[in-house]
């Protein structure tokens, strides 16, 4: 099929590359001329394992353009994958989505299947349909389909090549679009969940909110375990064998971050409040998550009496490993908090970069050994493999202090102790 993916961000690029790999002719369009120029030169502006290779492999089926109107006219299928960031009050900013609709309304001259990949609040796709008709687009020129993505940064390629399920939200009596969706994804053999438009939107939000809930729940349990000197890893293992619970997303640490969970949980909370539903659990999930960094600073204070001018090395900037994404990163929040209370913070990350807004007493190093040099304390804030496999005897030689805080429970405490260092974990007495 001839598909136009509108939006060359994380979801758009990944989707475009995989659809091209499926054999479709794909044009990935974006109004950001600089980004499109980079992509045409083969420069991929985000880090995602396997993405560069997949784009290179499918360059005969995949093109990039800043002429969105041309791309829209020529395609059978329009796939909207633009950003939906949070507004100041936590609501979802739909500016980019409705800007795409303006563009479509100006140039559409034949039938198009319009697929929304962007994460949007319940009711948005129905409003999109109303807006297109209001702008003068004949109803028989389009159908709106909600097809949310469930990509995990770091494993996005495999997530799309081998998804768990495909969710399709349709307008009433729209069998035509379902057939088109199955043609688009004919390379995959997985269950389809077919529902109405708000149903698909709710599935996406509920999925992210439930995973965020598991994370916050385990973080709260870890606080209780800490007081009773119970090993949270034993608890995690003990409940993870229960098939009703499942061992995934039971890890404890600094909390969730990234481009999805924080904004989506907040947006779902507001969507509930708009309908006079008080979402007690959603509020609690966010409350626990927002206080996690402070929990670690408080815990560290019991091992370090004075933070003033202490040199602390924070390993990790990205919100999770295998990505350079720092949006809502707990590791970054921890770095900024330590800086605020007077620490000299050295950081290192294999892929992510500190934002320019970070205070001057935070320094990022290009190699880990330099970041560790003469540190009073080392904190593992992101569980990159490079950190999990550290030579602790080397660490002992280059740092000044002896405190290792494992804020992700990702290293073996015995190996740290054998090197003559003090280990502080998450509810690991």
């Amino acid at each position: 099929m001839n598909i136009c993916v509108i939006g060359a961000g994380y979801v758009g690029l990944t989707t475009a590359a995989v659809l091209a790999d499926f054999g479709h002719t794909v044009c990935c369009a974006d109004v950001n001329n600089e980004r499109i120029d980079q992509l045409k030169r083969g420069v991929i502006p985000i880090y995602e394992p396997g993405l560069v290779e997949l784009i290179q492999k499918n360059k005969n089926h995949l093109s990039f353009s800043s002429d969105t109107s041309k791309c829209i006219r020529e395609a059978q299928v329009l796939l909207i994958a633009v950003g939906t960031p949070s507004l100041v009050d936590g609501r979802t900013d739909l500016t980019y989505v409705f800007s795409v609709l303006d563009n479509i309304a100006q140039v559409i001259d034949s039938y198009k299947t319009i697929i929304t990949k962007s994460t949007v609040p319940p009711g948005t796709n129905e409003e999109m349909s109303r807006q297109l008709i209001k702008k003068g687009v004949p109803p028989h020129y389009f159908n709106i389909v909600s097809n949310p993505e469930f990509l995990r940064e770091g494993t996005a390629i495999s997530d799309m090549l081998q998804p768990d399920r495909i969710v399709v939200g349709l307008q009433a009596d729209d069998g035509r679009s379902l057939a088109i969706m199955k043609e688009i994804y004919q390379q995959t053999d997985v269950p389809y969940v077919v529902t109405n438009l708000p149903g698909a939107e709710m599935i996406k939000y509920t999925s992210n909110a439930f995973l965020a809930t598991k994370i916050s729940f385990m973080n709260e349990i870890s606080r209780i375990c800490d007081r009773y000197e119970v090993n949270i890893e034993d608890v995690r293992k003990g409940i993870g064998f229960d098939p009703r619970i499942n061992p995934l997303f039971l890890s404890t640490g600094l909390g969730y971050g990234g481009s999805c969970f924080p904004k989506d949980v907040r947006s779902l909370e507001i969507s509930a409040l708009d309908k006079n539903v008080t979402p007690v659990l959603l509020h609690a999930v966010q409350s626990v998550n927002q206080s996690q960094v402070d929990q670690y600073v408080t815990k560290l204070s019991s091992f370090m009496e004075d933070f003033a001018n202490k040199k602390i090395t924070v390993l990790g900037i990205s919100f999770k490993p295998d990505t350079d994404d720092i949006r809502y990163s707990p590791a970054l929040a921890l770095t900024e908090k330590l800086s605020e209370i007077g620490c000299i913070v050295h950081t290192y990350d294999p892929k992510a970069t500190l934002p320019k807004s970070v205070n001057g007493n935070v320094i990022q190093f290009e190699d880990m050994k330099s970041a560790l040099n003469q540190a009073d304390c080392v904190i593992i804030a992101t569980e990159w493999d490079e950190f999990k496999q550290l030579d602790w005897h080397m660490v002992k030689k280059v740092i000044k202090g002896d405190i290792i805080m494992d804020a992700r429970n990702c290293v073996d405490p015995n190996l740290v102790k054998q090197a003559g260092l003090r280990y502080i974990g998450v509810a690991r007495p």
Side-chain angles (χ1 to χ4, degrees):
M1 300 192 77
N2 192 333
I3 301 172
C4 171
V5 175
I6 305 169
Y10 181 83
V11 173
L13 275 180
T14 304
T15 302
V18 171
L19 292 180
D21 197 59
F22 285 168
H24 302 295
T25 299
V26 182
C27 174
C28 186
D30 199 292
V31 295
N32 187 326
N33 292 323
E34 182 180 351
R35 171 161 287 204
I36 293 299
D37 288 341
Q38 282 182 315
L39 291 166
K40 286 181 176 179
R41 297 196 309 270
V43 178
I44 310 304
I46 60 171
Y47 174 72
E48 174 63 33
L51 183 58
V52 173
E53 295 79 4
L54 196 65
I55 289 175
Q56 182 64 27
K57 173 189 172 185
N58 295 288
K59 59 184 179 181
N60 292 332
H61 295 284
L62 177 60
S63 61
F64 300 99
S65 175
S66 55
D67 189 348
T68 308
S69 296
K70 182 175 183 292
C71 202
I72 290 171
R73 279 195 206 94
E74 295 176 352
Q76 302 162 269
V77 174
L78 310 180
L79 193 150
I80 300 174
V82 295
T84 52
S86 291
L87 293 166
V88 176
D89 64 357
R91 292 181 182 275
T92 300
D93 185 352
L94 297 171
T95 301
Y96 301 117
V97 172
F98 286 106
S99 177
V100 171
L101 293 187
D102 289 338
N103 200 343
I104 292 172
Q106 291 169 7
V107 301
I108 191 169
D109 56 7
S110 61
Y111 178 80
K112 312 286 183 187
T113 300
I114 302 172
I115 302 170
T116 307
K117 271 282 181 198
S118 301
T119 301
V120 295
T124 302
N125 278 278
E126 291 176 332
E127 179 60 24
M128 289 166 64
S129 181
R130 289 191 291 268
Q131 286 294 322
L132 283 173
I133 294 171
K134 188 176 179 179
K135 294 175 188 296
V137 179
H140 63 275
Y141 266 25
F142 71 92
N143 272 312
I144 298 278
V145 179
S146 179
N147 176 222
E149 51 84 17
F150 299 94
L151 307 180
R152 297 168 295 173
E153 293 189 47
T155 59
I157 300 298
S158 59
D159 288 343
M160 191 162 180
L161 289 171
Q162 299 170 318
D164 300 311
R165 76 290 200 194
I166 294 173
V167 175
V168 178
L170 301 171
Q171 293 171 288
D173 303 319
D174 181 16
R176 180 179 185 178
S177 293
L178 182 58
I180 289 172
M181 296 302 295
K182 289 186 174 180
E183 185 175 351
I184 291 172
Y185 294 118
Q186 61 181 313
Q187 299 271 6
T188 59
D189 183 20
V190 295
Y192 275 72
V193 179
V194 182
T195 180
N196 59 11
L197 291 174
E201 294 160 339
M202 275 299 298
I203 289 171
K204 169 64 176 180
Y205 271 97
T206 303
S207 177
N208 281 356
F210 184 74
L211 294 174
T213 300
K214 289 184 78 171
I215 293 169
S216 282
F217 177 78
M218 286 304 292
N219 280 332
E220 186 159 83
I221 292 297
S222 74
R223 298 180 190 182
I224 302 171
C225 287
D226 225 4
R227 298 300 175 92
Y228 281 93
E229 296 189 352
V230 171
N231 192 328
I232 187 65
E233 294 304 307
D234 294 340
V235 175
R236 182 178 66 83
K237 187 183 297 183
I239 67 173
F241 281 114
D242 189 328
R244 297 169 301 173
I245 296 175
N246 176 310
L248 299 177
F249 279 78
L250 295 183
S251 297
T252 53
L254 287 172
Y256 60 78
S259 62
C260 296
F261 287 7
K263 75 178 183 68
D264 291 352
V265 176
R266 176 63 175 140
S267 181
L268 181 56
E269 180 186 27
I270 291 173
S271 294
L273 291 170
D274 284 345
K275 295 293 185 179
N276 296 317
V277 176
T278 303
V280 178
L281 278 177
L282 294 180
H283 183 77
V285 166
Q286 296 170 89
S287 178
V288 170
N289 196 64
Q290 289 161 5
S291 61
Q292 273 303 100
V293 167
D294 288 335
Q295 290 284 322
Y296 281 87
V297 174
T298 300
K299 188 167 189 175
L300 188 59
S301 67
S302 64
F303 292 85
M304 297 178 68
E305 293 182 3
D306 183 16
F307 285 115
N309 296 316
K310 286 292 194 302
K311 186 184 292 185
I312 298 182
T313 298
V314 178
L315 297 178
I317 298 171
S318 60
F319 84 95
K320 63 178 284 190
D322 297 319
T323 180
D324 59 355
D325 196 342
I326 62 172
R327 287 174 287 183
Y328 296 99
S329 169
L332 181 57
L334 175 64
T335 297
E336 293 175 327
K337 181 70 175 180
L338 292 170
S339 173
E340 288 172 8
I341 60 177
C343 298
I344 299 168
V345 187
H346 288 187
T347 67
Y348 167 75
D349 190 288
K351 294 295 178 182
T353 304
L354 286 173
K356 294 179 181 178
S357 59
V358 172
N359 292 337
N361 58 336
V362 180
I363 305 169
Q364 180 172 1
F365 289 82
E366 293 185 2
D367 67 282
M368 181 164 51
K369 198 167 183 179
S370 296
L372 292 168
N373 188 42
Q374 295 298 298
D376 293 294
C377 168
V378 178
I379 303 176
I380 300 176
T382 309
E383 62 274 34
W384 286 91
D385 285 343
E386 187 175 349
F387 307 152
K388 292 192 284 186
Q389 298 162 9
L390 264 172
D391 178 349
W392 294 106
H393 290 279
M394 176 277 291
V395 174
K396 171 68 173 175
K397 291 177 182 178
V398 298
I399 67 175
K400 184 170 70 175
D402 64 353
I403 298 173
I404 307 297
M405 174 173 268
D406 181 5
R408 294 293 183 179
N409 275 12
C410 64
V411 301
D412 186 339
N414 293 321
L415 294 178
V416 176
K417 294 171 187 174
Q418 287 168 13
L421 297 164
R422 283 195 290 171
Y423 177 88
I424 307 171
V426 183
R428 273 176 143 180

